[in-house]
Amino acid sequence: MLNQSSNISVIVGAQWGDEGKGKITDFFAGEADYVVRFHGGNNAGHTVIVNEKTYKLHLIPSGVVYGKPTSIIGNGVVIDPKALLDELDYIKEKGIKPKLMVSDRAHVIMPYHIAFDKALSSHQGQLAAGSTGRGIAPVYADKMFRNGIRIIDLLEPNVFEEKLKKGYSFTKNIIQKALNQDFNIAFDQILHDYLNYGKKLTPYIYDTSIELYNAHTTGKSILFEGAQGISLDVDHGVYPFTTSSNTASGHISTGTGVSFRNINRIIGVVKAYLSRVGESPLPSEIHGENADFLREKGGEYGTTTGRPRRVGWLDLVQVRQAVRVNGLTEIALTKLDVLNNFKQLKVCIAYDINGEKVKEMPASLTQYRQAKPIYKTLSGWEDLPEKIWEKDFESLPDTLKKYVAFIENEVGCSVKIVSVGPQRHETIIR
Ligand code: IMP
């Protein structure tokens, strides 16, 4: 049940990540008092363009590029402290004074997690998701093993050393003995470096759950910024080709300590076509001329790794699941301008799995591997009229409006925000 009177909104990815969440978050962030990340780590990559300046962020919420909001990194996020300090420097170099609070309970990515991530990917072979190599799976695994190190521990040298001894030897043994790979990371170096990171991060460390509770009860506005997308959710996504956190909106409660009961708006960001960086079957993937065109025009290269993204037609089986699982109240449809000048556009409405029409994401890997897209072909549109964002939704080409209406009808959720260019102002609100 959504709380109509609250001031809490959420933005989540409704596909494979890289839907344009950074831009949509930024669009609302200027108004928010708090912008909050609740899961994932610096595997995420958010591109925000404001006043023709481009910002590439991985860990700090996109709202930081504005003066007003306080950025919060919640306890459900995993933090590489070196990456966080580098990102703080990057922001300061751009002339921004970051207002940042980091949860004392967030887990810390250690150098041995990064080494483990690489060793793990080669062990997983065909079943590897094509990780970003940032140590995400091992740090979340250590959290669940209750073997992890939290940000607060970096401020307590004795506890840190005690925990580090256990965590270090555990991962070292797995890498060397179970996975038969080299391990060349020195314990003393980690001890020294991480205590130093802790000192530098001290001014940012808080009990952010209490901060957010107080903010909510005093009527402040809070925006939760999701990373990745629903198909990368470790429970609801295409497992094991997922990330290792819950990307769905439901994780906000545990990932920040803010009750789900208080949320009133959940925006799912859907790109008008599909892209995916990393490995997995991908039923509506396309190759050849159309794929190259989409990749180049849409700038479909990973923000974090620079890898070329695989591209495809919009998959509504995936978006249908995103609407249901996240409880979306609306959709923000992005990058419609990238589709300009296609005579025809295909949209995947269901999968053909062994002759059966399937409209929901299968849990079975066998079935997902066999899934063939069932397409509906819609008419495209030409170049959009100049400065179309200064007009309203009704001024858009009829075929584009039909494309939008078709999506709404198939997935049962309204498209309220239409993005027709990378800049903040290139947006139409319905
Ligand atoms: P990991 O999160 O680095 O473990 O990577 C697991 C899978 O999630 C891989 O397929 C990555 O390419 C994908 N992934 C992780 N973060 C992002 C993101 O921010 N955008 C898109 N894909 C991501």
Side-chain angles (χ1 to χ4, degrees):
M1 178 69 93
L2 298 175
N3 184 336
Q4 302 297 329
S5 61
S6 103
N7 231 341
I8 303 186
S9 308
V10 178
I11 293 176
V12 285
Q15 293 158 308
W16 289 102
D18 310 318
E19 299 92 350
K21 290 183 297 297
K23 171 183 162 170
I24 301 299
T25 306
D26 172 68
F27 195 80
F28 291 97
E31 307 300 314
D33 294 308
Y34 290 84
V35 184
V36 186
R37 283 244 348 232
F38 57 95
H39 72 98
N42 60 328
N43 51 347
H46 291 164
T47 306
V48 186
I49 304 174
V50 188
N51 299 330
E52 293 177 10
K53 264 195 186 172
T54 301
Y55 302 86
K56 293 208 183 272
L57 300 166
H58 298 281
L59 202 47
I60 301 179
S62 306
V64 76
V65 297
Y66 287 94
K68 187 187 167 197
T70 298
S71 296
I72 291 201
I73 297 180
N75 60 277
V77 177
V78 286
I79 298 175
D80 180 330
K82 167 85 169 61
L84 178 55
L85 288 163
D86 286 349
E87 198 159 293
L88 279 165
D89 285 344
Y90 164 82
I91 288 167
K92 288 180 198 159
E93 273 161 27
K94 295 245 179 193
I96 296 166
K97 208 171 158 213
K99 282 202 268 171
L100 176 70
M101 298 174 101
V102 177
S103 168
D104 46 10
R105 289 170 170 81
H107 277 248
V108 181
I109 299 177
M110 309 301 291
Y112 50 80
H113 290 139
I114 296 170
F116 190 3
D117 203 358
K118 295 201 173 92
L120 191 65
S121 291
S122 58
H123 167 76
Q124 286 169 334
Q126 289 277 67
L127 291 175
S131 115
T132 58
R134 301 295 188 267
I136 303 297
V139 70
Y140 277 116
D142 257 355
K143 177 175 172 174
M144 293 310 171
F145 278 136
R146 302 191 301 278
N147 218 4
I149 291 169
R150 308 203 289 184
I151 285 282
I152 189 76
D153 301 328
L154 302 183
L155 310 188
E156 297 173 1
N158 291 341
V159 171
F160 177 58
E161 189 168 355
E162 186 186 348
K163 288 192 176 183
L164 181 62
K165 277 184 186 151
K166 290 284 165 207
Y168 176 88
S169 65
F170 182 79
T171 300
K172 184 178 175 187
N173 275 321
I174 294 181
I175 295 178
Q176 288 182 328
K177 296 184 183 155
L179 300 175
N180 231 346
Q181 306 222 11
D182 291 341
F183 183 90
N184 303 311
I185 303 166
F187 178 89
D188 290 344
Q189 189 70 48
I190 303 180
L191 187 64
H192 170 268
D193 289 349
Y194 274 63
L195 287 174
N196 201 20
Y197 298 148
K199 277 190 196 131
K200 289 188 178 158
L201 288 173
T202 302
Y204 301 103
I205 301 173
Y206 291 87
D207 185 332
T208 50
S209 165
I210 291 177
E211 175 75 17
L212 287 168
Y213 180 79
N214 290 337
H216 173 62
T217 49
T218 52
K220 297 272 186 343
S221 61
I222 302 173
L223 181 68
F224 287 100
E225 178 184 15
Q228 291 98 33
I230 191 68
S231 292
L232 291 168
D233 183 287
V234 69
D235 282 281
H236 300 282
V238 183
Y239 191 87
F241 305 103
T242 59
T243 188
S244 298
S245 67
N246 284 107
T247 64
S249 59
H251 187 53
I252 284 169
S253 296
T254 49
T256 65
V258 172
S259 170
F260 202 75
R261 187 157 61 96
N262 296 323
I263 293 168
N264 77 338
R265 191 174 183 194
I266 307 173
I267 304 166
V269 185
V270 176
K271 184 151 63 183
Y273 52 95
L274 180 144
S275 75
R276 200 252 190 269
V277 59
E279 304 307 319
S280 70
L282 198 56
S284 66
E285 181 169 19
I286 53 174
H287 300 279
E289 230 174 67
N290 281 343
D292 296 341
F293 177 84
L294 285 178
R295 187 174 304 108
E296 291 314 312
K297 188 166 176 205
E300 300 298 348
Y301 292 88
T303 315
T304 300
T305 56
R307 292 181 285 184
R309 294 178 185 147
R310 300 158 69 191
V311 293
W313 299 117
L314 181 59
D315 182 347
L316 295 182
V317 182
Q318 174 182 49
V319 178
R320 208 172 275 130
Q321 185 199 31
V323 171
R324 177 169 49 81
V325 172
N326 289 302
L328 298 186
T329 57
E330 62 209 84
I331 286 174
L333 191 59
T334 63
K335 290 198 161 181
L336 276 156
D337 55 308
V338 176
L339 295 183
N340 292 355
N341 298 311
F342 272 90
K343 283 213 159 48
Q344 292 190 315
L345 295 165
K346 287 185 183 176
V347 179
C348 172
I349 52 167
Y351 300 146
D352 176 335
I353 302 177
N354 281 329
E356 215 180 296
K357 184 174 174 182
V358 176
K359 291 186 81 175
E360 297 289 349
M361 294 292 280
S364 148
L365 186 54
T366 310
Q367 287 186 15
Y368 195 68
R369 280 176 170 156
Q370 289 168 343
K372 297 199 174 45
I374 300 176
Y375 287 120
K376 168 87 179 167
T377 303
L378 303 175
S379 301
W381 51 88
E382 296 180 347
D383 274 330
L384 297 175
E386 276 205 9
K387 297 199 174 177
I388 185 73
W389 52 87
E390 288 179 358
K391 305 198 177 126
D392 60 6
F393 183 78
E394 289 313 313
S395 322
L396 288 164
D398 279 345
T399 44
L400 191 155
K401 285 188 279 183
K402 279 189 186 147
Y403 189 77
V404 173
F406 183 80
I407 296 169
E408 293 181 318
N409 197 35
E410 281 288 323
V411 303
C413 185
S414 306
V415 173
K416 296 263 179 71
I417 301 160
V418 173
S419 169
V420 289
Q423 299 238 45
R424 184 168 187 266
H425 60 269
E426 295 170 309
T427 311
I428 296 172
I429 307 281
R430 272 167 107 187

